[in-house]
Amino acid sequence: MTTSAPSAPHPASSPTPPFGRALCAMVTPFTEAGALDLDGAGRLADRLVRAGCDGLVLSGTTGESPTTTDAEKSALVRAVRKAVGDRAAIVAGVGTADTRHTVELALAAEKAGADGLLVVTPYYSRPPQDAVEAHFREIADATGLPLTLYDIPGRTGTRIEPDTLIRLAEHPRIVAVKDCAYDLLGTQKVLARTELAYYAGCDEQVLALRAVGGTGYISTVANAAPGPFRAILDAFEAGDTAEAARRQQRVVPLIELMMSSGLPGTVTAKALLGRLGLPAGPVRAPLRAAGREVTDGLLAAYEELAAA
């Protein structure tokens, strides 16, 4: 009697990624005078794609969307599209607290050449769930582009409740979620009942979310370390979950310094990119640059990761 060899482990199934698996929430480079640096944006985008990013999310909060104009947002999409061509998906952040303005930004992003939209929950006003649902439906109805809904109640003050997401998944252009809700149970409820692609928006949850059927990530830390983040997914897709776990653990020190230092990720990402000689430039007020001690720590963690 013969027995067959045990089969190799298979990664958890997930929907076909609408924008790939490895996405970077890209910073928006500025000149030292504070103007939009379109040449720098193109060079940074090219580097990220060459290092393994399937897609780039522009004009999210990491991209300082609260302090860029509507015209700058469109110009950024056009410049990055020119730089990366069809090598990567471009997802444009268009979310605001105003439904009408969000629709305007969505149409402008579509015209500029974006492949998809990132739409955050309306913030500060804290609308009830039926209003949140109506907001997203109006935007999805107004454009031909697929939407990724951004669930980050710690910033917006309002959750996109799992039941709301399940209903919204019925819309043909609502295809994905950027998940920063820190509710793995709720996430699994939606994954079990929809075909939504789930992207980890919190860098420490990349592997955990992928393991329960998520799609990949939209990472801030990947601005500086795109390769190590891509390696987590590559190991998992190859069935080597132990190696995927080791690679996730290796990026923890840099994640902690960039995302849990008391400074916004935009600030720390730009500080590290600047020290690496990469396009970034200053942040716009009211944000302020990271100090020397923070930046030195970021560089040390980056160099340790690069040497691993």
Side-chain angles (χ1 to χ4, degrees):
M1 179 178 178
T2 60
T3 58
S4 59
S7 59
H10 294 285
S13 62
S14 67
T16 301
F19 310 113
R21 296 194 184 280
L23 280 70
C24 178
M26 198 178 95
V27 302
T28 299
F30 299 133
T31 67
E32 288 306 314
L36 187 63
D37 180 4
L38 294 178
D39 178 68
R43 286 186 286 114
L44 179 60
D46 179 69
R47 173 185 181 269
L48 291 169
V49 173
R50 288 178 183 274
C53 292
D54 300 319
L56 304 170
V57 176
L58 308 178
S59 297
T61 46
T62 300
E64 296 179 78
S65 58
T67 55
T68 56
T69 67
D70 293 2
E72 286 176 325
K73 290 176 173 66
S74 292
L76 183 64
V77 171
R78 289 192 294 269
V80 172
R81 172 57 73 203
K82 181 178 179 181
V84 304
D86 61 0
R87 292 179 294 144
I90 294 177
V91 180
V94 299
T96 75
D98 176 357
T99 302
R100 289 179 297 176
H101 189 200
T102 302
V103 168
E104 291 170 1
L105 288 174
L107 295 174
E110 185 173 13
K111 183 177 180 180
D115 298 301
L117 305 171
L118 179 70
V119 188
V120 74
T121 318
Y123 39 84
Y124 189 78
S125 55
R126 302 185 69 177
Q129 288 299 296
D130 61 341
V132 169
E133 183 175 345
H135 172 82
F136 289 130
R137 287 187 182 277
E138 185 168 341
I139 298 153
D141 287 341
T143 175
L145 295 181
L147 269 63
T148 298
L149 308 185
Y150 188 7
D151 189 15
I152 182 165
R155 292 286 187 93
T156 65
T158 303
R159 176 79 191 277
I160 314 175
E161 295 293 344
D163 288 343
T164 303
L165 284 166
I166 290 168
R167 290 192 298 272
L168 285 167
E170 298 171 359
H171 196 291
R173 283 184 295 283
I174 295 176
V175 301
V177 176
K178 180 181 178 183
D179 185 9
C180 285
Y182 286 99
D183 176 14
L184 197 57
L185 179 60
T187 292
Q188 291 177 84
K189 178 180 176 180
V190 179
L191 283 168
R193 296 181 57 184
T194 76
E195 294 300 313
L196 290 172
Y198 257 74
Y199 291 93
C202 304
D203 294 84
E204 71 275 17
Q205 294 190 345
V206 168
L207 181 57
L209 185 58
R210 181 70 188 96
V212 297
T215 295
Y217 57 77
I218 299 175
S219 168
T220 293
V221 181
N223 276 282
F229 276 86
R230 180 72 199 216
I232 298 168
L233 294 184
D234 287 347
F236 189 82
E237 300 308 314
D240 192 344
T241 55
E243 178 62 17
R246 284 191 290 271
R247 290 185 177 276
Q248 176 77 64
Q249 290 158 12
R250 286 175 189 162
V251 298
V252 165
L254 185 59
I255 293 172
E256 186 173 20
L257 286 174
M258 285 188 69
M259 306 305 293
S260 300
S261 65
L263 295 172
T266 306
V267 172
T268 53
K270 281 196 163 185
L272 181 52
L273 287 170
R275 286 290 290 271
L276 294 173
L278 296 168
V283 292
R284 283 182 176 173
L287 298 180
R288 302 184 70 179
R292 180 63 180 268
E293 183 177 353
V294 170
T295 307
D296 286 348
L298 289 165
L299 183 61
Y302 173 86
E303 289 176 340
E304 182 177 351
L305 177 61

